[in-house]
Amino acid sequence: MEVQRHGGKLYEFASLHSSPDNAWEHELTGLTGAPGTGPCLSIVIPDAAPDDGPFTPMPARHAFVRAGGGQVPWPVLTEFVDLVRAAGDLVAEPVLTAADTALPLTLNAWEHDGRRYEVNQFHFADNGSWCYELHEVVPDSTANHYIDVQIPDTQPDGGPFVPAPSDRVTLTMHGDWTIPWPVFDRFLAAIRAAGDIVDP
C-alpha cells in the first residue's frame, strides 16, 4: 500500500487478490473527501491457474481496467501504471508501433476482441483545454461511459494550442466502465506520442 499526494489531495495505491474475479487487482483510490466520493481506478489481471498454487498472471491482453468515475491527475496515473508494470503482473504485453499510437485529427476507430472503440480529440473551449476522449461503440446503448484526458491550454484566448505542464493534466472517468487493458494502454500511449504531455 502506498499513498501519493498531488495538489493537496491524497491517493492510495493498493494491491489485493480479487476472489470474485479470480484475479489480482491493483487499485488507485482517492482518499480526500467523503468515503466513496474520490476517483477509483483498478487494473485487474486474471489468474491463469486460480485453483493451482500461487498467482500466475494471464497475458496482458486478458487484463482489464475498471474506471469507476472521478478525476485523477496525470502524474498520479502514470506513477500508478508504472508501479503495476514494475510488479511484473502485466506479462506478454504487445509492442505498440508508431501506427498504433498515431491519432489523426478526425475520429479514430480501434478494434479489440470484436469490440469497437472510438478516439476523438478536440479543443474544449468551455475550460480552455485540449481533450482526448475514448468510448466504446455500442449500438442502441443509452449508457454514457467514457474517459477523457484534458490538457489545459496556456494561451486559450488566442494562437495555437500550447500544452500546460503534465502536473495540470487530468484523466476523468465518466460513468462506471470496464475497458480492456490493451485499449486503455494504447490510449495513454497515443496521447504521449502526440507530444502534448510536457514535463513540469
Side-chain angles (χ1 to χ4, degrees):
M1 187 178 297
E2 179 176 329
V3 174
Q4 291 277 334
R5 179 186 295 273
H6 183 87
K9 295 183 178 181
L10 298 176
Y11 302 86
E12 181 182 76
F13 302 163
S15 297
L16 61 153
H17 187 265
S18 174
S19 297
D21 296 310
N22 284 325
W24 197 260
E25 183 170 355
H26 298 269
E27 186 175 82
L28 185 167
T29 307
L31 298 179
T32 303
T37 61
C40 184
L41 175 76
S42 298
I43 299 175
V44 183
I45 300 104
D47 192 341
D51 300 318
D52 184 22
F55 171 66
T56 303
M58 293 183 71
R61 63 186 177 86
H62 297 287
F64 56 92
V65 175
R66 285 197 181 108
Q71 190 174 85
V72 179
W74 182 268
V76 175
L77 173 66
T78 54
E79 176 71 14
F80 173 64
V81 171
D82 287 347
L83 285 174
V84 175
R85 280 207 165 95
D89 294 336
L90 290 167
V91 298
E93 287 196 273
V95 177
L96 294 174
T97 67
D100 292 328
T101 58
L103 288 179
L105 290 176
T106 54
L107 200 64
N108 199 28
W110 294 346
E111 298 280 343
H112 179 80
D113 283 351
R115 295 161 65 181
R116 186 168 181 264
Y117 301 85
E118 289 182 346
V119 182
N120 202 3
Q121 57 174 312
F122 52 91
H123 192 265
F124 193 2
D126 288 352
N127 61 359
S129 66
W130 194 259
C131 182
Y132 292 89
E133 184 180 285
L134 171 71
H135 69 274
E136 184 176 0
V137 179
V138 183
D140 302 323
S141 173
T142 59
N144 192 31
H145 305 312
Y146 66 98
I147 60 174
D148 67 51
V149 169
Q150 294 188 26
I151 304 169
D153 189 348
T154 60
Q155 49 180 32
D157 298 325
F161 169 64
V162 178
S166 60
D167 58 357
R168 294 176 55 195
V169 176
T170 56
L171 166 76
T172 302
M173 299 168 283
H174 304 266
D176 191 350
W177 187 28
T178 299
I179 313 163
W181 165 255
V183 174
F184 184 80
D185 184 44
R186 183 180 178 184
F187 179 61
L188 300 186
I191 295 170
R192 288 191 293 267
D196 292 334
I197 301 298
V198 180
D199 291 336

